[in-house]
Amino acid sequence: MAQNPAPADPFQWLEDVQGERALNWVRERNAGTQKILQARAEYAPVRADILSVLNAKDRIPGIVRRGDWLYNFWQDAANKRGLLRRTSLAEYRKAAPAWETVLDLDALATKENENWVWGGSVCLAPEYRRCLLMMSRGGADAKVVREFDLFSKTFIADGFNLPEAKQQVDWIDADNLYVATDFGPGSMTDSGYARIIKRWKRGTPLASATQVFEGVAKDVAVQVSVDRTPGFERTVLIRALDFYNSKQFLLAADGKQIELDLPSDANATFWRDKLLIELKSDWKLPGQTHASGSLLLADATAYLKGERKFRSLFTPTASRSLDGYTHTHSHLLLTINEHVTSKLEEWKFDGAKLSHRVVNAPSPGHLNVTSLHDPMLAKDAMGDAYLMNYADFLTPDSLFLGQAGSDTRELLKARPAQFNAEGMKAEQLFATSKDGTQVPYFVVWPKGAKKGTDADGSNPTLLYGYGGFQVSLQPWYSGGFGKAWYGRGGVLVVANLRGGGEYGPNWHQAAIKANKQKSYDDYIAVAEDLIKRKITSPRHLGIMGGSNGGLLVGATFVQRPDLFNAVVCQVPLLDMRRYHTLLAGASWMAEYGNPDDAAEWAFISKYSPYQNVKAGVKYPKVLFTTSTRDDRVHPGHARKMAARMMEQGHDLLYYENIEGGHGGAADNEQRATLQALEFSYLWQQLGR
């Protein structure tokens, strides 16, 4: 591999996240941006509207089943950091359920003088008394772990506790855990995640924990998955070699690790006596070939003995891909993407007999399906029950309680409309990319927009995209967009670019590494199509994207500044010469390539925004947003890009939330402030 040494970077000092010089630079930029955007007429009412949506009491509370209880984490105006609370299914069915508070995170943060942000939990079934709660300071990926008693609602003083780190934990039994964490020098990967898994016994120091598994520094991470289903207990250990490839090992009773014979990019899941394998590339075996994107079923015991006999439960087509699956006690539910809208199918398992049917489900928006089955219970009253959420751009979320094997379902909750959608319309169109590929995109039309024969290119239009990591952008309902954008006359366009997952693994793999430019070509093609149709014009067209989407909009406005008048670049990657040295960046080399390899830098260098932005070019006035506490995508990307553009004489705006993690905000007030700044900027740049 030819080495490609990095040149000197005059703005590298801005990578010092908490450095006083860097933070003073941030504070100065923030003050200037807030002064300009908060003075606009839209800012105060848009912020109030967004905050009312975020804090609305009539939101649908998301739930997780644990035994007889349904748990929810709730944030509102009175509970900024949030409440962990629970109720019964009978109560949840009511319009106003009675909730029992289990943990008040605001009270805890005040008591401990910490800026706690909820990070999830891992609870021990089937009793669900002991839970490992995860909390971060300011919303970072690095979290502390503390053992909590759900019955007494107290932290266990001498329980399992881990200091802040990027880590994973799972229960073995009531007195033992698997822990993947920062055990000291040499225990983390180059990507900043755990490289070693240990078994930790209650009452003993972490230093005495026994090592059971390890990866190497170049791996992304190691992971452990414990299946405690009675009669089918299994522990799977995983070395994530890169973002898409792994080696998986079954931990035998004698401690031996049995490597599973699988394609390295396949996802495998044990389900009692079955093994489900989701393919990300074609799998050629003697006498059989299975297509990328397929879902295969095998007998787990026979497979481990070497038999390669499969039943294909899903095979992709040009328009259909597998979005996800979940299992109840006796059914497998498949969510299918068909031209970026959701369909639902199910397989019934009756002993050795399999039957398949298409479920009559709401359409043409997005379905999210979650099983309520608890495999730890010998007799589970909700064994074949599942939750199904439906939404589209103009239809608020509805949450149904379904029963596998039937199309009959109960409406549990319906989100009230958060904006007046009368006269609005959503449709799907297609653009032709540079190489002839048809790229779908959604257009959400506000009431009174100029379209068809009346179109004159004057509609303020926001083009949103992502185009990476096999992430699909499917229809969603947003009260914030409804109030701040559609309701004020803005058109929203959502582009389904290569690099995403809308048409399965092949759609994603068509735009990675040497072909990453195809994501940007697709985005440009959609922009040009909008202009050609006179839906909008460069004067009124803006783009928005976050994380990989921040790289998308960064690369696109640098390549085609003539197409846009606004760019909202959120928590972005921008310096692709050094991205792999910053925080979790090394874990993404399977997506972008290795800039230290001269051959790979040759293609990365052609689109890397930080290296390609130039003085003397007329760029749109960009708004960069990021978070100091983002420990996934380094805030140095946005800082350095802004500094370089300012040095080159370009006008721009910059806002960095001092808290918030990769999501950009730690609570609803911060989210409302950030989004109000973004929408005020968009109206400043794109309004008629």
Side-chain angles (χ1 to χ4, degrees), residues 62 313 389 463 632:
L313 302 182
N389 189 88
L463 171 56
R632 192 180 312 171

Side-chain angles (χ1 to χ4, degrees), residues 203-218:
T204 64
L206 182 62
S208 69
T210 304
Q211 182 169 313
V212 296
F213 190 66
E214 68 175 322
V216 299
K218 290 187 180 297

Side-chain angles (χ1 to χ4, degrees), residues 188-191 195 215-220:
M188 306 295 278
T189 66
D190 295 343
S191 300
R195 188 182 65 80
V216 299
K218 290 187 180 297
D219 291 347
V220 171

Side-chain angles (χ1 to χ4, degrees), residues 469-535:
F469 295 93
Q470 205 173 326
V471 173
S472 300
L473 293 186
Q474 295 164 310
W476 73 86
Y477 184 84
S478 171
F481 271 98
K483 288 177 176 291
W485 193 245
Y486 321 142
R488 291 171 174 264
V491 174
L492 175 67
V493 177
V494 179
N496 301 117
L497 315 172
R498 281 175 290 180
E502 287 86 350
Y503 290 104
N506 294 339
W507 189 251
H508 165 240
Q509 293 160 17
I512 63 173
K513 289 195 169 183
N515 293 316
K516 194 65 193 169
Q517 178 62 37
K518 291 185 178 180
S519 294
Y520 315 139
D521 291 342
D522 289 358
Y523 206 43
I524 289 166
V526 173
E528 291 177 331
D529 201 55
L530 295 169
I531 295 166
K532 180 181 178 182
R533 294 175 189 264
K534 294 187 178 181
I535 292 172

Side-chain angles (χ1 to χ4, degrees), residues 62-224:
I63 52 175
V64 175
R65 181 194 177 193
R66 293 192 179 118
D68 294 331
W69 293 102
L70 302 178
Y71 283 80
N72 164 257
F73 186 76
W74 182 262
Q75 291 176 297
D76 58 24
N79 304 281
K80 295 179 182 179
R81 298 295 162 166
L83 298 174
L84 178 63
R85 58 186 192 170
R86 65 189 174 202
T87 193
S88 65
L89 178 59
E91 276 294 322
Y92 190 76
R93 283 185 161 110
K94 298 178 181 178
W99 291 96
E100 177 186 350
T101 298
V102 177
L103 177 67
D104 183 330
L105 208 62
D106 294 88
L108 182 69
T110 299
K111 177 183 176 182
E112 299 184 346
N113 194 29
E114 287 279 12
N115 182 21
W116 290 130
V117 174
W118 179 250
S121 63
V122 181
C123 300
L124 181 62
E127 188 180 22
Y128 297 105
R129 177 171 192 152
R130 301 291 180 119
C131 263
L132 302 169
L133 302 192
M134 292 168 279
M135 301 177 293
S136 73
R137 294 179 173 90
D141 282 355
K143 299 174 178 64
V144 302
V145 177
R146 293 164 64 177
E147 190 176 3
F148 190 81
D149 189 319
L150 290 177
F151 291 9
S152 66
K153 305 177 187 177
T154 58
F155 286 102
I156 300 170
D158 58 349
F160 290 113
N161 292 280
L162 290 165
E164 184 178 75
K166 290 184 178 180
Q167 56 194 331
Q168 188 214 349
V169 292
D170 207 345
W171 293 96
I172 301 171
D173 55 39
D175 292 317
N176 293 278
L177 301 182
Y178 285 122
V179 177
T181 189
D182 186 348
F183 292 106
S187 67
M188 306 295 278
T189 66
D190 295 343
S191 300
Y193 298 100
R195 188 182 65 80
I196 294 170
I197 298 173
K198 295 186 177 184
R199 182 184 178 118
W200 186 20
K201 183 177 176 59
R202 183 181 297 280
T204 64
L206 182 62
S208 69
T210 304
Q211 182 169 313
V212 296
F213 190 66
E214 68 175 322
V216 299
K218 290 187 180 297
D219 291 347
V220 171
V222 292
Q223 299 170 319
V224 59

